Amino acid sequence: MDLGSNFPAKLEPYLLMAKGLKGAAAAKLIQDATSAPGVFVFSELLELPNIQELGKSEQHKKYLSLLQLFSYKTYQDYLPSTAHKDILPPLTEAQTTKLKHLSIVSLAADRRILPYADLLKALDMPTIRELEDLIIDAIYLDILRGKLDQKEQQLEVEYTMGRDLEPGKLEEVLAALQNWQTDKADRICFTPRRAETTSSVLATLDAKIQEIAKESEATKQSELEHEKALQATLKEVFEKQKEKALGGGSMMNRRPVGFERDRDGMLMDVDEDPGNGKGKNRKASSEAQPKARSKRNRF
């Protein structure tokens, strides 16, 4: 959000109340608006016909001057009037602080760096501490943005709100912009030699840009090829490791013939299947032994 973008909305209630007010009531409204927190623009109120009529009254014209003071003038414009009470009414504390805030904005329109010494004089501030407090309040109120440089004793302004323009100043601003545009157009005049030099520089830059684009494309292609080769290598290594793991597992599961594992996983010798030929021979020999004994008993 821009600085001061919500300030016109703060003035809106006073614009509604100002319609139809005249004399003392209009003067009281000006006092209230210039004292109200957050109200820093007054041009719409100043343009109202019934407010302008206050300038025709000897009793109330000083309140029109007060509104003009807050619209586009500074605290320096107020100081001489303190000796002439009929020019401006006395300011309250709230009005004085607001006018000093607006004065900083006007000073910042001419230069970005504002030394403390100049601010102390322009704002009639007794101490640097009070000046810095005033500036900090202005920053919190969204009147300006900047940085206090206590070492260099200066205010570095970044942005400020916009103030109302004094009558006749708009024409001066437009004339200054017109002169700036004319001067710029006068400076942008190229001789044939300058135009040739400019074309040469642009052609060189264009060739350099194309060269950089080609190098970038080649680098990108090389990176893609490298990535493909890397992925292929990783896939090959993974397949070999997988085959090796499967082969080792089949050998581990084999066991020698005639052996089994006990509960502890140790190999132990077992008799062969009775249906095997060797088993029959063993049984036959065991049956032959009793027959031999019986034959010996006959003798």
Side-chain angles (χ1 to χ4, degrees):
M1 181 180 292
D2 296 334
L3 288 180
S5 59
N6 63 331
F7 291 157
K10 298 284 188 179
L11 183 65
E12 190 67 27
Y14 297 94
L15 294 176
L16 296 175
M17 290 186 292
K19 294 179 180 180
L21 295 182
K22 295 183 178 180
K28 177 66 166 57
L29 180 73
I30 291 174
Q31 282 277 33
D32 294 341
T34 53
S35 302
V39 181
F40 293 99
V41 291
F42 305 93
S43 60
E44 293 183 76
L45 182 62
L46 184 61
E47 291 170 356
L48 293 177
N50 55 320
I51 298 297
Q52 288 292 323
E53 286 181 3
L54 293 176
K56 301 176 182 179
S57 170
E58 290 294 329
Q59 181 180 2
H60 302 122
K61 66 179 182 180
K62 59 183 178 181
Y63 293 98
L64 178 63
S65 299
L66 177 67
L67 188 58
Q68 292 170 341
L69 176 68
F70 278 86
S71 294
Y72 44 76
K73 295 185 180 181
T74 66
Y75 190 72
Q76 283 290 308
D77 297 314
Y78 169 74
L79 289 178
S81 68
T82 56
H84 306 280
K85 302 299 182 182
D86 56 330
I87 299 177
L88 284 170
L91 299 182
T92 64
E93 183 178 354
Q95 287 174 323
T96 301
T97 301
K98 180 183 292 190
L99 184 58
K100 289 182 178 182
H101 284 156
L102 293 172
S103 299
I104 297 175
V105 173
S106 296
L107 292 171
D110 298 328
R111 48 183 174 165
R112 191 177 70 86
I113 304 298
L114 299 175
Y116 280 2
D118 294 349
L119 291 172
L120 288 171
K121 182 178 179 181
L123 304 177
D124 192 27
M125 303 292 291
T127 64
I128 291 178
R129 176 62 181 273
E130 292 183 17
L131 174 63
E132 290 180 339
D133 290 343
L134 182 74
I135 295 171
I136 292 171
D137 289 341
I139 293 173
Y140 277 114
L141 290 171
D142 212 22
I143 297 173
L144 61 88
R145 292 178 188 167
K147 181 176 67 175
L148 294 173
D149 189 342
Q150 295 180 327
K151 181 179 180 181
E152 298 295 334
Q153 296 286 288
Q154 63 187 17
L155 168 63
E156 298 178 5
V157 181
E158 297 177 2
Y159 302 100
T160 67
M161 58 164 281
R163 291 198 68 186
D164 300 322
L165 283 175
E166 186 176 356
K169 289 291 185 180
L170 179 60
E171 289 74 11
E172 293 181 11
V173 172
L174 292 176
L177 290 174
Q178 184 64 36
N179 293 335
W180 178 83
Q181 185 177 6
T182 303
D183 293 341
K184 182 179 180 181
D186 292 340
R187 288 194 296 270
I188 306 177
C189 292
F190 297 104
T191 63
R193 185 173 181 180
R194 287 182 178 178
E196 182 180 354
T197 303
T198 303
S199 299
S200 177
V201 170
L202 291 176
T204 303
L205 288 174
D206 187 49
K208 190 66 176 176
I209 290 172
Q210 293 181 1
E211 181 183 351
I212 292 173
K214 290 180 180 179
E215 292 179 357
S216 177
E217 183 64 25
T219 302
K220 185 177 180 181
Q221 188 64 30
S222 177
E223 289 177 352
L224 288 175
E225 293 176 357
H226 175 74
E227 182 66 19
K228 289 181 180 179
L230 178 60
Q231 292 297 331
T233 303
L234 291 175
K235 184 177 180 181
E236 182 180 354
V237 171
F238 176 76
E239 292 295 337
K240 289 182 177 180
Q241 289 180 347
K242 184 177 180 181
E243 292 176 0
K244 186 177 180 181
L246 291 175
S250 61
M251 292 296 293
M252 293 281 294
N253 292 329
R254 295 177 185 174
R255 65 173 183 264
V257 178
F259 290 87
E260 288 186 357
R261 297 183 182 273
D262 59 8
R263 293 180 180 178
D264 299 328
M266 301 298 292
L267 290 174
M268 62 179 180
D269 188 11
V270 295
D271 292 337
E272 294 185 0
D273 190 355
N276 196 320
K278 294 181 180 179
K280 292 180 179 180
N281 295 335
R282 187 176 301 174
K283 183 177 181 181
S285 60
S286 61
E287 292 176 350
Q289 290 178 1
K291 293 181 179 180
R293 290 178 186 146
S294 59
K295 187 176 181 180
R296 284 196 296 269
N297 290 335
R298 290 178 183 178
F299 288 103

